[in-house]
Amino acid sequence: MSPKYSLNSLALLLFGGNVLGQLNKPVLFSDGLSPHVDSVFWQHLTPTQSTWDEWAWGWIPQACLNVVQDTSYSPYDMEVYNVHYTDCGSAWVICRHHDAQMSVVDIIDVFGRVAVQDRDWTQHVVALPGAVCSAGTGAAVTTFYGDCYIPSVAIHEMSHSLDGYVNDQNGNNGPNPFSSGSQYQSAVASDSCVPDPYANNNYQEDYAQVSVLAVYEKVNPGGLDPIGSWRCLVNQKNVLDSACGTELTPGGSCTRRWADSAIVSMGPATGNSKRGSFGKRGRKIGPKPEPANKKGDPLVSYATPSNETGVRHSTFMNLVKNNTARTQAYVRQNSWNKAAGKATLPVPKM
Ligand SMILES: *[C@@H]1O[C@H](CO)[C@@H](O)[C@H](O)[C@H]1NC(C)=O
Ligand SMILES: *[C@@H]1O[C@H](CO)[C@@H](O)[C@H](O)[C@H]1NC(C)=O
């Protein structure tokens, strides 16, 4: 068993028991959200045009390194990418283990389908291997384990960062997610249901699941009514919308960014500035990259996200995959990269 799984079961122990406040409410959907929402998301969350380029091997953002060092995986097996979406002047830096089930295209596509003003609150995205999809978010970094190429999972995770920071912008007030406040908790109390069994774990997971339904309402042409009798959670949904409805709404362009985490060496085996040859592809170490976002840049008001929420580590029920979307994403991404004179990847056979 890798440490990842023990982390996972630890998280279930910590956050799944009554100790940290199980909500014990009836649920709207007993089979999880994915079967009810993801086909609408695939159709109505538009991919954002982008190009990517890969960093020379040997350098990694400290925040990605922290995540990897909490697992049995080697930092030397990480790939780091700049992702330039057309709705933001500066890139997002994402980190991927070379054996992660999610390809760089999968990560870019699913992250890029989420509203840009929601992406604004995520500092880095990490993808690591995993037998099934699970994911964690802490200190504005979302980590996907296994195949989480699923919009509802991305929205859920990124909402943990909205929950943590949108009402406490520099995160300096200590662990203070919006969902821990009386406004949200009274709304839950006045409702007769929560979205699904996972939401019952605690207020933070409930908030993240309600955000998935709030996005559904915004992007589905018929709103939420076609989904079923959702009004049993209308108060949660409305309070959440008042807190971060703008961020959850697709469109526009980026309005704020975190400074990127400090760029550090993957470790001593990179040989600093000497030639390194490591990992599957025998990479050469290159010059230290410049951060895509740094203190003093016009959109960077708050340098460093604090560890506001702790890491919320989630597993999800009945995730619905879509290999058609995956193939289309490769074709699209390759054409965007090619037009910019950048690398392309072979389209995988599904
Ligand atoms: C899969 O994704 C494609 C592309 O986004 C979409 O057109 C299609 O409706 C999706 N299929 C399902 C079953 O969700
Ligand atoms: C954030 O806090 C959690 C525990 O609350 C810890 O497991 C995690 O490593 C911390 N992450 C960072 C980036 O400091």
Side-chain angles (χ1 to χ4, degrees), residues 3 26 28 92 106 130 145 222 261 268 274 299 315 344:
L28 174 60
W92 274 265
D106 295 341
Y145 301 86
S261 182
K274 284 194 228 104
L299 292 179
T315 48
T344 59

Side-chain angles (χ1 to χ4, degrees), residues 7 15 63 66-67 70 138-139 141 307-311:
L7 171 67
F15 305 128
N66 291 347
V67 170
D70 269 355
V141 174
N307 201 347
E308 173 90 0
T309 50
V311 176

